[in-house]
Amino acid sequence: YQLEYFHLVERAPEIAVITNLSQDHLNRHGSMERYAKAKANIFLNQTKQQHLILNKDNHWTQFFLDLRPKSHIWFFSKKSFGGHGLYYHQNTVYFCSEDKSQKVLDLTGFIKEKGEHNLENLLAAALAAHLAGVPWEKIQVAIPILPQVTFREEVIFKNDHLTVINDTTATSPEGT
């Protein structure tokens, strides 16, 4: 809800990220378009020197692009695309910039351990970290030791027959 007032902020973030937009918080916003407009406040005051990271695979991304962000636009995706950003293919993450693509991260075993939905989160976070100046090598080293976030798909018990997961923070069917 803080983004509802973000248009009043004098200084926009150097790097803004919108991971996705799905049906959530409609009791507050009333419609998906109003919800999307509230999210868009994070980048509306950005300058062309700042960065906006969007999910190429989310159909609401075009809505954000239609608002004509002034910032440099980067994408992340679970498949190859033309443009600037990161994409995933067969356990490897590629960075695309200036019409060239290079392998930057090895994600062997990541999806099996963390789930495919967390792949998008990782791509967005890795791209933001890189744009903030963190080398790919440091990002790669951090991946296997990412902490478990309390209440978010937290495995609280597991044996050969049963796995109990605490997902208290999920607020929508998509999140669950």
Side-chain angles (χ1 to χ4, degrees), residues 27-75:
N27 59 324
R28 172 124 179 143
H29 299 288
S31 72
M32 285 296 292
E33 186 170 297
R34 286 183 56 201
Y35 180 34
K37 285 181 179 177
K39 280 223 182 201
N41 282 337
I42 197 166
F43 67 80
L44 291 180
N45 290 328
Q46 282 188 309
T47 66
K48 62 183 179 180
Q49 290 79 27
Q50 295 170 320
H51 304 281
L52 171 60
I53 300 172
L54 297 170
N55 183 345
K56 186 76 168 167
D57 304 333
N58 189 271
H59 71 273
W60 278 93
T61 293
Q62 187 58 52
F63 176 88
F64 298 125
L65 294 173
D66 289 345
L67 295 175
R68 301 177 161 252
K70 293 180 229 82
S71 45
H72 185 84
I73 299 170
W74 299 86
F75 297 102

Short mmCIF file of all heavy atoms in Angstrom, two decimals, residues 27-75:
data_model
loop_
_atom_site.label_atom_id
_atom_site.label_comp_id
_atom_site.label_asym_id
_atom_site.label_seq_id
_atom_site.Cartn_x
_atom_site.Cartn_y
_atom_site.Cartn_z
N ASN A 27 -9.62 -5.82 -2.85
CA ASN A 27 -10.50 -5.24 -1.83
C ASN A 27 -10.09 -3.79 -1.56
O ASN A 27 -10.91 -2.96 -1.20
CB ASN A 27 -10.47 -6.06 -0.55
CG ASN A 27 -9.07 -6.17 0.04
OD1 ASN A 27 -8.07 -6.25 -0.70
ND2 ASN A 27 -8.97 -6.20 1.35
N ARG A 28 -8.83 -3.47 -1.77
CA ARG A 28 -8.33 -2.11 -1.54
C ARG A 28 -8.39 -1.27 -2.82
O ARG A 28 -8.80 -0.12 -2.79
CB ARG A 28 -6.88 -2.18 -1.06
CG ARG A 28 -6.21 -0.84 -0.98
CD ARG A 28 -5.70 -0.56 0.34
NE ARG A 28 -5.03 0.71 0.42
CZ ARG A 28 -5.12 1.46 1.47
NH1 ARG A 28 -5.83 1.07 2.50
NH2 ARG A 28 -4.48 2.59 1.52
N HIS A 29 -7.96 -1.87 -3.94
CA HIS A 29 -7.82 -1.10 -5.18
C HIS A 29 -9.07 -1.10 -6.06
O HIS A 29 -9.22 -0.22 -6.89
CB HIS A 29 -6.63 -1.62 -5.98
CG HIS A 29 -5.33 -1.46 -5.24
ND1 HIS A 29 -4.73 -0.25 -5.04
CD2 HIS A 29 -4.54 -2.37 -4.62
CE1 HIS A 29 -3.62 -0.41 -4.35
NE2 HIS A 29 -3.48 -1.68 -4.08
N GLY A 30 -9.92 -2.11 -5.93
CA GLY A 30 -11.16 -2.15 -6.68
C GLY A 30 -11.07 -2.73 -8.08
O GLY A 30 -12.03 -3.30 -8.57
N SER A 31 -9.92 -2.60 -8.73
CA SER A 31 -9.75 -3.17 -10.07
C SER A 31 -8.27 -3.47 -10.30
O SER A 31 -7.40 -2.89 -9.64
CB SER A 31 -10.24 -2.22 -11.14
OG SER A 31 -9.36 -1.11 -11.28
N MET A 32 -8.00 -4.33 -11.25
CA MET A 32 -6.61 -4.64 -11.58
C MET A 32 -5.89 -3.42 -12.14
O MET A 32 -4.72 -3.20 -11.86
CB MET A 32 -6.56 -5.80 -12.59
CG MET A 32 -6.86 -7.15 -11.99
SD MET A 32 -5.65 -7.67 -10.75
CE MET A 32 -4.20 -7.93 -11.75
N GLU A 33 -6.60 -2.61 -12.92
CA GLU A 33 -5.96 -1.42 -13.49
C GLU A 33 -5.54 -0.43 -12.39
O GLU A 33 -4.44 0.12 -12.43
CB GLU A 33 -6.87 -0.74 -14.49
CG GLU A 33 -6.17 0.40 -15.20
CD GLU A 33 -6.95 0.95 -16.36
OE1 GLU A 33 -7.18 0.19 -17.32
OE2 GLU A 33 -7.33 2.14 -16.30
N ARG A 34 -6.39 -0.22 -11.40
CA ARG A 34 -6.03 0.68 -10.29
C ARG A 34 -4.86 0.09 -9.48
O ARG A 34 -3.99 0.84 -9.02
CB ARG A 34 -7.24 0.94 -9.41
CG ARG A 34 -8.24 1.89 -10.09
CD ARG A 34 -9.43 2.23 -9.24
NE ARG A 34 -9.01 2.81 -7.95
CZ ARG A 34 -9.78 2.82 -6.88
NH1 ARG A 34 -11.00 2.30 -6.93
NH2 ARG A 34 -9.35 3.36 -5.77
N TYR A 35 -4.86 -1.22 -9.32
CA TYR A 35 -3.76 -1.89 -8.62
C TYR A 35 -2.46 -1.70 -9.42
O TYR A 35 -1.42 -1.36 -8.86
CB TYR A 35 -4.10 -3.36 -8.44
CG TYR A 35 -3.08 -4.21 -7.74
CD1 TYR A 35 -2.28 -3.72 -6.72
CD2 TYR A 35 -2.93 -5.55 -8.09
CE1 TYR A 35 -1.35 -4.52 -6.07
CE2 TYR A 35 -2.01 -6.36 -7.44
CZ TYR A 35 -1.22 -5.84 -6.44
OH TYR A 35 -0.30 -6.65 -5.81
N ALA A 36 -2.53 -1.89 -10.73
CA ALA A 36 -1.35 -1.71 -11.59
C ALA A 36 -0.85 -0.27 -11.54
O ALA A 36 0.36 -0.02 -11.49
CB ALA A 36 -1.68 -2.12 -13.01
N LYS A 37 -1.75 0.69 -11.53
CA LYS A 37 -1.34 2.10 -11.46
C LYS A 37 -0.64 2.41 -10.14
O LYS A 37 0.32 3.17 -10.10
CB LYS A 37 -2.55 3.02 -11.65
CG LYS A 37 -3.00 3.09 -13.09
CD LYS A 37 -4.19 4.02 -13.26
CE LYS A 37 -4.61 4.09 -14.72
NZ LYS A 37 -5.78 4.92 -14.91
N ALA A 38 -1.11 1.79 -9.05
CA ALA A 38 -0.43 1.98 -7.77
C ALA A 38 0.98 1.40 -7.82
O ALA A 38 1.93 2.02 -7.34
CB ALA A 38 -1.24 1.33 -6.64
N LYS A 39 1.12 0.23 -8.41
CA LYS A 39 2.46 -0.37 -8.55
C LYS A 39 3.37 0.49 -9.42
O LYS A 39 4.57 0.60 -9.17
CB LYS A 39 2.37 -1.78 -9.14
CG LYS A 39 1.98 -2.83 -8.13
CD LYS A 39 2.82 -4.05 -8.32
CE LYS A 39 2.39 -5.12 -7.34
NZ LYS A 39 3.40 -6.10 -7.11
N ALA A 40 2.78 1.09 -10.46
CA ALA A 40 3.57 1.90 -11.40
C ALA A 40 4.19 3.11 -10.73
O ALA A 40 5.19 3.66 -11.23
CB ALA A 40 2.70 2.32 -12.58
N ASN A 41 3.66 3.55 -9.62
CA ASN A 41 4.21 4.71 -8.92
C ASN A 41 5.68 4.53 -8.57
O ASN A 41 6.40 5.52 -8.39
CB ASN A 41 3.41 5.01 -7.65
CG ASN A 41 2.12 5.72 -7.94
OD1 ASN A 41 1.96 6.37 -8.97
ND2 ASN A 41 1.16 5.60 -7.03
N ILE A 42 6.15 3.28 -8.50
CA ILE A 42 7.55 3.05 -8.14
C ILE A 42 8.51 3.57 -9.20
O ILE A 42 9.64 3.92 -8.91
CB ILE A 42 7.82 1.56 -7.82
CG1 ILE A 42 9.12 1.43 -7.06
CG2 ILE A 42 7.82 0.71 -9.09
CD1 ILE A 42 9.33 0.09 -6.40
N PHE A 43 8.04 3.67 -10.47
CA PHE A 43 8.95 4.12 -11.52
C PHE A 43 8.55 5.42 -12.20
O PHE A 43 9.31 5.97 -12.99
CB PHE A 43 9.14 3.02 -12.58
CG PHE A 43 7.92 2.71 -13.41
CD1 PHE A 43 7.54 3.51 -14.46
CD2 PHE A 43 7.17 1.58 -13.13
CE1 PHE A 43 6.43 3.20 -15.23
CE2 PHE A 43 6.06 1.26 -13.89
CZ PHE A 43 5.69 2.07 -14.95
N LEU A 44 7.40 5.96 -11.92
CA LEU A 44 6.92 7.13 -12.66
C LEU A 44 7.81 8.35 -12.52
O LEU A 44 7.88 9.18 -13.44
CB LEU A 44 5.49 7.47 -12.25
CG LEU A 44 4.44 6.45 -12.70
CD1 LEU A 44 3.05 6.87 -12.25
CD2 LEU A 44 4.47 6.24 -14.21
N ASN A 45 8.53 8.50 -11.42
CA ASN A 45 9.42 9.65 -11.24
C ASN A 45 10.89 9.32 -11.51
O ASN A 45 11.76 10.14 -11.22
CB ASN A 45 9.26 10.22 -9.82
CG ASN A 45 7.91 10.89 -9.65
OD1 ASN A 45 7.36 11.45 -10.59
ND2 ASN A 45 7.37 10.79 -8.45
N GLN A 46 11.14 8.15 -12.06
CA GLN A 46 12.53 7.81 -12.37
C GLN A 46 13.03 8.63 -13.55
O GLN A 46 12.24 9.06 -14.41
CB GLN A 46 12.67 6.32 -12.71
CG GLN A 46 12.67 5.41 -11.50
CD GLN A 46 13.01 3.99 -11.89
OE1 GLN A 46 12.41 3.42 -12.79
NE2 GLN A 46 13.97 3.42 -11.18
N THR A 47 14.34 8.78 -13.62
CA THR A 47 14.98 9.48 -14.73
C THR A 47 15.58 8.45 -15.69
O THR A 47 15.62 7.26 -15.39
CB THR A 47 16.11 10.39 -14.23
OG1 THR A 47 17.15 9.57 -13.68
CG2 THR A 47 15.60 11.37 -13.17
N LYS A 48 16.10 8.93 -16.82
CA LYS A 48 16.68 8.01 -17.79
C LYS A 48 17.98 7.37 -17.30
O LYS A 48 18.44 6.41 -17.88
CB LYS A 48 16.88 8.70 -19.14
CG LYS A 48 17.82 9.88 -19.12
CD LYS A 48 17.87 10.54 -20.49
CE LYS A 48 18.80 11.73 -20.46
NZ LYS A 48 18.87 12.40 -21.74
N GLN A 49 18.56 7.91 -16.23
CA GLN A 49 19.77 7.31 -15.67
C GLN A 49 19.45 6.16 -14.69
O GLN A 49 20.33 5.44 -14.27
CB GLN A 49 20.62 8.35 -14.93
CG GLN A 49 21.29 9.36 -15.84
CD GLN A 49 20.34 10.46 -16.29
OE1 GLN A 49 19.37 10.79 -15.61
NE2 GLN A 49 20.60 11.01 -17.46
N GLN A 50 18.20 6.03 -14.34
CA GLN A 50 17.79 5.00 -13.38
C GLN A 50 17.26 3.77 -14.12
O GLN A 50 17.11 3.81 -15.35
CB GLN A 50 16.75 5.59 -12.42
CG GLN A 50 17.37 6.69 -11.56
CD GLN A 50 16.36 7.48 -10.76
OE1 GLN A 50 15.27 7.78 -11.24
NE2 GLN A 50 16.74 7.82 -9.53
N HIS A 51 17.02 2.69 -13.38
CA HIS A 51 16.69 1.40 -13.99
C HIS A 51 15.34 0.89 -13.51
O HIS A 51 15.00 0.99 -12.34
CB HIS A 51 17.76 0.36 -13.62
CG HIS A 51 19.14 0.76 -14.01
ND1 HIS A 51 19.62 0.65 -15.29
CD2 HIS A 51 20.15 1.28 -13.27
CE1 HIS A 51 20.86 1.08 -15.33
NE2 HIS A 51 21.21 1.48 -14.12
N LEU A 52 14.61 0.28 -14.46
CA LEU A 52 13.35 -0.39 -14.17
C LEU A 52 13.46 -1.82 -14.66
O LEU A 52 13.80 -2.06 -15.82
CB LEU A 52 12.18 0.32 -14.87
CG LEU A 52 10.83 -0.39 -14.83
CD1 LEU A 52 10.34 -0.59 -13.40
CD2 LEU A 52 9.81 0.39 -15.67
N ILE A 53 13.19 -2.77 -13.77
CA ILE A 53 13.25 -4.19 -14.10
C ILE A 53 11.83 -4.74 -14.12
O ILE A 53 11.09 -4.59 -13.14
CB ILE A 53 14.11 -4.96 -13.07
CG1 ILE A 53 15.53 -4.41 -13.07
CG2 ILE A 53 14.08 -6.46 -13.36
CD1 ILE A 53 16.42 -4.97 -11.97
N LEU A 54 11.46 -5.37 -15.24
CA LEU A 54 10.12 -5.92 -15.42
C LEU A 54 10.17 -7.38 -15.84
O LEU A 54 11.13 -7.82 -16.47
CB LEU A 54 9.36 -5.13 -16.50
CG LEU A 54 9.11 -3.65 -16.22
CD1 LEU A 54 8.58 -2.96 -17.48
CD2 LEU A 54 8.15 -3.48 -15.06
N ASN A 55 9.10 -8.11 -15.52
CA ASN A 55 8.97 -9.52 -15.88
C ASN A 55 8.43 -9.62 -17.30
O ASN A 55 7.27 -9.33 -17.56
CB ASN A 55 8.02 -10.20 -14.89
CG ASN A 55 7.89 -11.68 -15.14
OD1 ASN A 55 8.26 -12.21 -16.18
ND2 ASN A 55 7.34 -12.37 -14.15
N LYS A 56 9.27 -10.03 -18.22
CA LYS A 56 8.88 -10.14 -19.64
C LYS A 56 7.72 -11.13 -19.82
O LYS A 56 6.95 -11.01 -20.77
CB LYS A 56 10.10 -10.59 -20.45
CG LYS A 56 9.90 -10.63 -21.93
CD LYS A 56 9.93 -9.24 -22.50
CE LYS A 56 10.02 -9.28 -24.01
NZ LYS A 56 9.75 -7.98 -24.61
N ASP A 57 7.58 -12.09 -18.90
CA ASP A 57 6.58 -13.15 -19.04
C ASP A 57 5.22 -12.78 -18.45
O ASP A 57 4.26 -13.52 -18.63
CB ASP A 57 7.08 -14.43 -18.36
CG ASP A 57 8.42 -14.89 -18.91
OD1 ASP A 57 8.72 -14.58 -20.08
OD2 ASP A 57 9.17 -15.55 -18.18
N ASN A 58 5.10 -11.66 -17.75
CA ASN A 58 3.83 -11.28 -17.13
C ASN A 58 3.05 -10.40 -18.09
O ASN A 58 3.57 -9.42 -18.62
CB ASN A 58 4.08 -10.55 -15.81
CG ASN A 58 2.81 -10.33 -15.02
OD1 ASN A 58 2.14 -9.32 -15.19
ND2 ASN A 58 2.48 -11.27 -14.15
N HIS A 59 1.79 -10.72 -18.32
CA HIS A 59 1.02 -9.97 -19.32
C HIS A 59 0.76 -8.52 -18.91
O HIS A 59 0.43 -7.69 -19.76
CB HIS A 59 -0.28 -10.70 -19.69
CG HIS A 59 -1.32 -10.71 -18.62
ND1 HIS A 59 -1.37 -11.66 -17.63
CD2 HIS A 59 -2.34 -9.86 -18.40
CE1 HIS A 59 -2.39 -11.40 -16.84
NE2 HIS A 59 -3.00 -10.32 -17.27
N TRP A 60 0.90 -8.16 -17.66
CA TRP A 60 0.73 -6.77 -17.23
C TRP A 60 1.94 -5.90 -17.54
O TRP A 60 1.88 -4.67 -17.44
CB TRP A 60 0.40 -6.71 -15.73
CG TRP A 60 -1.05 -6.96 -15.51
CD1 TRP A 60 -1.64 -8.17 -15.24
CD2 TRP A 60 -2.11 -6.01 -15.59
NE1 TRP A 60 -3.00 -8.01 -15.13
CE2 TRP A 60 -3.31 -6.70 -15.33
CE3 TRP A 60 -2.16 -4.65 -15.84
CZ2 TRP A 60 -4.55 -6.06 -15.34
CZ3 TRP A 60 -3.38 -4.01 -15.83
CH2 TRP A 60 -4.57 -4.71 -15.59
N THR A 61 3.04 -6.50 -17.96
CA THR A 61 4.23 -5.73 -18.29
C THR A 61 3.94 -4.71 -19.39
O THR A 61 4.43 -3.58 -19.35
CB THR A 61 5.39 -6.66 -18.67
OG1 THR A 61 5.77 -7.39 -17.49
CG2 THR A 61 6.60 -5.90 -19.17
N GLN A 62 3.13 -5.08 -20.36
CA GLN A 62 2.81 -4.14 -21.45
C GLN A 62 2.07 -2.92 -20.90
O GLN A 62 2.29 -1.80 -21.37
CB GLN A 62 1.98 -4.82 -22.54
CG GLN A 62 1.77 -3.95 -23.76
CD GLN A 62 3.08 -3.51 -24.40
OE1 GLN A 62 3.95 -4.33 -24.69
NE2 GLN A 62 3.24 -2.20 -24.61
N PHE A 63 1.24 -3.11 -19.89
CA PHE A 63 0.55 -1.98 -19.26
C PHE A 63 1.58 -0.98 -18.72
O PHE A 63 1.45 0.23 -18.90
CB PHE A 63 -0.35 -2.49 -18.12
CG PHE A 63 -1.03 -1.40 -17.34
CD1 PHE A 63 -2.26 -0.91 -17.76
CD2 PHE A 63 -0.45 -0.87 -16.20
CE1 PHE A 63 -2.90 0.10 -17.04
CE2 PHE A 63 -1.08 0.14 -15.47
CZ PHE A 63 -2.30 0.63 -15.90
N PHE A 64 2.62 -1.51 -18.04
CA PHE A 64 3.66 -0.64 -17.49
C PHE A 64 4.44 0.06 -18.60
O PHE A 64 4.76 1.24 -18.50
CB PHE A 64 4.58 -1.42 -16.57
CG PHE A 64 3.89 -2.00 -15.38
CD1 PHE A 64 3.96 -3.36 -15.11
CD2 PHE A 64 3.13 -1.21 -14.53
CE1 PHE A 64 3.30 -3.90 -14.02
CE2 PHE A 64 2.47 -1.74 -13.43
CZ PHE A 64 2.56 -3.09 -13.18
N LEU A 65 4.73 -0.66 -19.67
CA LEU A 65 5.46 -0.06 -20.79
C LEU A 65 4.62 1.03 -21.47
O LEU A 65 5.17 2.03 -21.93
CB LEU A 65 5.85 -1.14 -21.81
CG LEU A 65 6.86 -2.17 -21.31
CD1 LEU A 65 7.04 -3.27 -22.34
CD2 LEU A 65 8.18 -1.51 -20.95
N ASP A 66 3.31 0.84 -21.53
CA ASP A 66 2.43 1.85 -22.13
C ASP A 66 2.42 3.16 -21.35
O ASP A 66 2.04 4.20 -21.89
CB ASP A 66 1.00 1.31 -22.25
CG ASP A 66 0.87 0.22 -23.31
OD1 ASP A 66 1.79 0.08 -24.14
OD2 ASP A 66 -0.15 -0.50 -23.28
N LEU A 67 2.86 3.12 -20.10
CA LEU A 67 2.96 4.34 -19.29
C LEU A 67 4.23 5.13 -19.62
O LEU A 67 4.48 6.18 -19.04
CB LEU A 67 2.91 3.99 -17.80
CG LEU A 67 1.59 3.39 -17.31
CD1 LEU A 67 1.70 2.98 -15.85
CD2 LEU A 67 0.44 4.37 -17.51
N ARG A 68 5.02 4.62 -20.54
CA ARG A 68 6.23 5.27 -21.05
C ARG A 68 7.24 5.64 -19.96
O ARG A 68 7.54 6.83 -19.74
CB ARG A 68 5.89 6.49 -21.88
CG ARG A 68 5.01 6.15 -23.06
CD ARG A 68 4.62 7.41 -23.82
NE ARG A 68 4.19 7.01 -25.15
CZ ARG A 68 4.90 7.23 -26.25
NH1 ARG A 68 6.03 7.85 -26.21
NH2 ARG A 68 4.43 6.83 -27.42
N PRO A 69 7.77 4.63 -19.27
CA PRO A 69 8.80 4.92 -18.25
C PRO A 69 9.99 5.64 -18.88
O PRO A 69 10.36 5.37 -20.02
CB PRO A 69 9.22 3.53 -17.77
CG PRO A 69 8.18 2.59 -18.26
CD PRO A 69 7.53 3.21 -19.44
N LYS A 70 10.54 6.59 -18.14
CA LYS A 70 11.71 7.33 -18.61
C LYS A 70 13.00 6.55 -18.34
O LYS A 70 14.02 6.80 -18.97
CB LYS A 70 11.77 8.69 -17.92
CG LYS A 70 10.64 9.62 -18.29
CD LYS A 70 10.80 10.95 -17.56
CE LYS A 70 9.57 11.40 -16.89
NZ LYS A 70 9.19 10.92 -15.62
N SER A 71 12.96 5.65 -17.38
CA SER A 71 14.15 4.92 -16.96
C SER A 71 14.58 3.89 -18.01
O SER A 71 13.84 3.56 -18.93
CB SER A 71 13.86 4.22 -15.63
OG SER A 71 12.60 3.58 -15.66
N HIS A 72 15.81 3.40 -17.82
CA HIS A 72 16.32 2.33 -18.68
C HIS A 72 15.58 1.05 -18.31
O HIS A 72 15.54 0.66 -17.14
CB HIS A 72 17.83 2.16 -18.48
CG HIS A 72 18.41 1.16 -19.41
ND1 HIS A 72 18.79 1.49 -20.68
CD2 HIS A 72 18.65 -0.15 -19.27
CE1 HIS A 72 19.26 0.41 -21.29
NE2 HIS A 72 19.18 -0.60 -20.45
N ILE A 73 14.99 0.37 -19.28
CA ILE A 73 14.15 -0.79 -19.01
C ILE A 73 14.94 -2.08 -19.25
O ILE A 73 15.58 -2.26 -20.29
CB ILE A 73 12.89 -0.77 -19.89
CG1 ILE A 73 12.08 0.48 -19.57
CG2 ILE A 73 12.06 -2.03 -19.67
CD1 ILE A 73 10.94 0.74 -20.51
N TRP A 74 14.88 -2.94 -18.24
CA TRP A 74 15.50 -4.26 -18.28
C TRP A 74 14.40 -5.29 -18.04
O TRP A 74 13.44 -5.02 -17.34
CB TRP A 74 16.55 -4.39 -17.17
CG TRP A 74 17.67 -3.42 -17.27
CD1 TRP A 74 17.70 -2.15 -16.79
CD2 TRP A 74 18.93 -3.63 -17.89
NE1 TRP A 74 18.90 -1.55 -17.07
CE2 TRP A 74 19.68 -2.46 -17.74
CE3 TRP A 74 19.50 -4.72 -18.55
CZ2 TRP A 74 20.97 -2.33 -18.23
CZ3 TRP A 74 20.79 -4.60 -19.04
CH2 TRP A 74 21.51 -3.41 -18.88
N PHE A 75 14.59 -6.48 -18.60
CA PHE A 75 13.63 -7.56 -18.42
C PHE A 75 14.29 -8.79 -17.83
O PHE A 75 15.50 -8.99 -17.97
CB PHE A 75 13.00 -7.96 -19.76
CG PHE A 75 12.21 -6.87 -20.41
CD1 PHE A 75 12.74 -6.15 -21.47
CD2 PHE A 75 10.93 -6.57 -19.97
CE1 PHE A 75 12.01 -5.14 -22.08
CE2 PHE A 75 10.19 -5.56 -20.58
CZ PHE A 75 10.74 -4.85 -21.64
#
